[in-house]
Amino acid sequence: MARLKSRYFEIALFAGFAVFLPALPVASKEARPYRSRHLEQGLSALDRKDYREALRQFEFAAVDNPRSAEAHLGRARAYHALGRKNQALGEVTRAIKLDPKCADAYFLRAKLYESRKDPGRVVEDAGQAIRYNPGMVEAYCLRAKAYYMSSEIDSGEDNTRAGINDLKTAIRLDPKCSDAYEYLGVWQCARKEYQEALKSFNKAIELSPKEDKLYHYRSMIYSGLKQYDKALVDTSHYLELNPHDGKAWLIRGSLYEQIGDRKKAYDDYSKAIEVGRGREFRAFFQRGKLAMRLGKYQVARDDFNKIIQANGFDDEAFKGRGDAYMALGDFSLAISDYSEAISLCPNVPAYYQARSQAYLRAGRKDLAGKDASKAAKLKAKPAVEKI
């Protein structure tokens, strides 16, 4: 900012000295293309993604004509691209004050409000953009997203109806707008209209076949419809486009488990752990459970141990590690882990049943009987969902 202020000072200082300079023998019309030249150079710099140069050029244009809405809008766009959203918001608001009918300025401000998770202001500014440019497809899509955000707070039909109408309008104005189909699919999925959502994502993928997230969304729908083979195809395609998403490897691993391919599931869980740099703890949990079924008890023990080291309050991880100790023949450690799981969540029958078996294997039949009795009593009670 100090640099920008110094630039203003430089120009103002030059203007002061100019009073004392003799008039040059240049025609007035030849000396005044200053404003338009800097605006054009600023826009050119934006196109080249040279945002600092764009700021410099729009700064000259704004000093030359402080009432130029276009110069302030250009500065706002450059600030936005640089991630300086507060400055962008200030500049675009100035642009709107100078030109209250500038649809592009309202649209940019709506996007900035979206980044602040302020759906009310997004709806308002996107609405103004549409008012002054009824053909602005992006504004309809943005307003629909804001209605969706609002619907998560207020589930009334008004937000839903308005959002879906905006997306249908966007599609009518531009039948090749993949974003509109994507957002419509998300909305339909949230309303559990899976077949309709599938049609929307199919169309979005047809229009934007390299958009990785579309395959991810569609795979979720296929999975929900228990069409695991199709979900696998889409998740695999997504991973080809985005191989560094640890959660996607985890999802594909679970899909392989669903179709009974344990080896590929195990490999994908391992890949999720590798890509997540050891922080994808759900992958450790899934691989640990699968390792038990594959007879890889030491792997299972180590995987559950990783989770416990990160979160000592995970009762399921203690239960899993206890199972691994049982399989490895270390009954005292198994009892210790089962006891920890019970202390964290004392109303799960399976934990008492597991400890009962560990006590039995350790030769402590009296304690085994007590735990078996406790497990039976808990099973007889109405099921309470664990929080």
Side-chain angles (χ1 to χ4, degrees), residues 10 18 31 113 118 158 190 195 197 217 241 245 272 323 347 355 372 384:
E10 249 176 67
Y113 283 137
D118 190 340
D158 288 346
Q195 294 297 341
Y217 291 151
L241 296 168
D245 186 340
D323 291 343
N347 297 315
R355 193 171 67 175
V384 177

Side-chain angles (χ1 to χ4, degrees), residues 24-296:
L24 297 175
V26 179
S28 175
K29 289 182 181 178
E30 294 296 320
R32 295 304 299 166
Y34 183 79
R35 172 182 174 275
S36 62
R37 183 174 72 250
H38 286 298
L39 279 174
E40 288 171 7
Q41 289 174 351
L43 292 169
S44 176
L46 280 179
D47 289 340
R48 299 194 309 272
K49 299 184 179 180
D50 187 350
Y51 302 118
R52 297 189 185 282
E53 175 62 17
L55 274 176
R56 196 174 76 87
Q57 293 298 333
F58 287 128
E59 179 187 335
F60 278 120
V63 170
D64 189 58
N65 179 6
R67 298 195 59 77
S68 170
E70 196 174 356
H72 287 288
L73 178 57
R75 283 161 62 82
R77 285 173 168 158
Y79 278 133
H80 184 231
L82 289 167
R84 295 163 66 178
K85 293 180 181 178
N86 287 336
Q87 290 99 321
L89 187 59
E91 289 290 347
V92 75
T93 299
R94 291 186 192 97
I96 288 169
K97 286 179 180 176
L98 292 168
D99 182 1
K101 296 183 179 181
C102 181
D104 288 341
Y106 283 112
F107 178 70
L108 177 55
R109 193 166 71 174
K111 287 175 69 177
L112 289 165
Y113 283 137
E114 182 194 26
S115 70
R116 290 187 170 193
K117 301 188 187 307
D118 190 340
R121 287 184 170 179
V122 176
V123 167
E124 184 180 342
D125 273 358
Q128 288 292 87
I130 290 166
R131 176 184 177 187
Y132 296 116
N133 183 359
M136 185 181 280
V137 173
E138 307 97 307
Y140 289 101
C141 290
L142 184 58
R143 189 168 68 175
K145 287 173 70 179
Y147 280 130
Y148 185 86
M149 289 171 64
S150 297
S151 73
E152 293 183 316
I153 302 166
D154 176 8
S155 58
E157 279 296 311
D158 288 346
N159 286 321
T160 299
R161 191 180 305 109
I164 290 176
N165 284 342
D166 270 354
L167 293 172
K168 289 181 177 178
T169 301
I171 290 167
R172 178 175 55 78
L173 290 169
D174 181 5
K176 294 185 177 181
C177 179
S178 65
D179 283 349
Y181 286 106
E182 175 195 336
Y183 303 152
L184 186 59
V186 169
W187 213 312
Q188 290 163 334
C189 193
R191 290 164 61 85
K192 299 183 179 179
E193 299 169 355
Y194 298 124
Q195 294 297 341
E196 292 304 309
L198 197 54
K199 291 176 186 177
S200 295
F201 285 122
N202 285 343
K203 187 65 178 178
I205 288 170
E206 177 189 325
L207 294 167
S208 297
K210 293 184 178 180
E211 189 65 51
D212 55 6
K213 62 183 174 180
L214 297 175
Y215 297 97
H216 178 59
Y217 291 151
R218 192 171 68 177
S219 75
M220 291 169 66
I221 295 174
Y222 280 135
S223 183
L225 293 170
K226 301 190 186 304
Q227 298 181 27
Y228 300 121
D229 53 341
K230 292 181 179 179
L232 268 169
V233 170
D234 272 356
T235 306
S236 297
H237 200 132
Y238 172 82
L239 283 167
E240 286 174 12
L241 296 168
N242 195 358
H244 302 295
D245 186 340
K247 285 184 172 58
W249 289 103
L250 176 59
I251 289 168
R252 196 175 74 169
S254 67
L255 289 170
Y256 277 127
E257 273 207 85
Q258 288 288 350
I259 65 170
D261 195 332
R262 291 179 175 179
K263 182 182 183 307
K264 287 183 178 178
Y266 184 90
D267 290 344
D268 274 3
Y269 293 147
S270 299
K271 186 69 176 179
I273 290 167
E274 176 192 332
V275 170
R277 297 181 181 180
R279 293 188 295 272
E280 193 61 66
F281 294 107
R282 189 67 194 173
F284 279 114
F285 188 80
Q286 292 296 106
R287 189 176 71 174
K289 289 200 304 180
L290 182 55
M292 287 296 296
R293 291 196 288 273
L294 294 173
K296 299 183 178 186

